[in-house]
Amino acid sequence: MPNLLPILRRLRAVPTGAVALCALSLAACDAVKGKLYPEVVDRGWQSDSTLLAASPAVLMRVVRSKEGARAVPLATIDGTGVHTLSLTPRGWRALDVQMLHEGRRFVPYRGSEPLGTIVSRRGMWEGPTLDSLPGCSQMLPAAAVSVPDGVELLTSGSTALPGRSSGLANGELERVLSVVSTLVAPSAGVPMSKMSRYRRTVQVVGTGATASPTIVVTYSDPQELPAGASRMTERPRQLVLVLDKGAYGYRPSLTLADVSSARLAPRRRFLGALDTNGDGRAELFFGLGENIERGELATFSYRFSGDAWIADWEYRRTRCMG
């Protein structure tokens, strides 16, 4: 009688091989389908959601209009510095829910001093859209807030960035300003004979750039530069001088003017000094003049390097994103 065991073994192996062949065929079919009909992945939202999940600290500008004050998010801040926020429409709406809605807390800063926290009254899309612009289909979101006078910068949350003392010894500020008016400003292009035309503002801020506070002096002439002004021959209508203390007293560490040998520049205004990267030295923040069209969010920061302030970060966008 023939041995049937090998035959039976072969018969048992047939279903197993068939199953394996079918599985390989299905896998091949899935691979082909994956190439023909790839799964739609919203990579922009993936990036946005990852960023928002980390709950980053956000730097905001205060914008004032007849409708009220708005807190507008510009950038994230961390140990590496300031990073401009660039999100998809879905990401901006998620940020609105996470950071701008009613009850969210922000820290306001006057100069370099943090003040008591303020609370959002409502977010951008919490109910009817908060703001709109003619012809603008996509607005940068903002929160409706009430802010103290002199506040231009906010950070999200209720934890303030570290501040520094801005006190000066009695009489020291007057001595510095006397030298600035008689020597420094004239050497920067403001003639003594025209000095009375300028309105001078002075702000003393703790920056940590040196052991002493930083002094920001702004000279502004109400008269605008004439059309077609020659850069080389026109006196500045605005001059911003930043002074820090060296071995021989206070000296200019940054000069900004609306005329120079290189270009005609819009007027600047000092916003504040914040230590955004936690290195113990605050950065100086400037914006554009209040009357410059579509310039309400323009922001420029400077960091102290060596013995001078150098450009660090800038924001030139408007609230209309599309």
Side-chain angles (χ1 to χ4, degrees), residues 279-297:
D279 66 354
R281 288 182 173 181
E283 292 77 55
L284 298 178
F285 288 84
F286 291 85
L288 295 183
E290 294 179 344
N291 298 323
I292 296 176
E293 185 178 3
R294 299 174 65 83
E296 67 273 11
L297 293 182

Side-chain angles (χ1 to χ4, degrees), residues 8 27 33-35 46 58 63 69 84 100 128-129 136 138 142 164-165 176 179 220 237 243 254 262 273 283 291 306:
L8 291 173
K33 284 169 61 179
K35 290 183 179 298
Q46 282 185 339
V58 172
V63 176
T84 300
L100 305 181
T129 302
C136 183
Q138 180 66 35
R164 285 181 164 270
S165 172
V176 172
V179 173
S220 295
R237 297 310 197 266
L243 302 108
L254 176 66
E283 292 77 55
N291 298 323

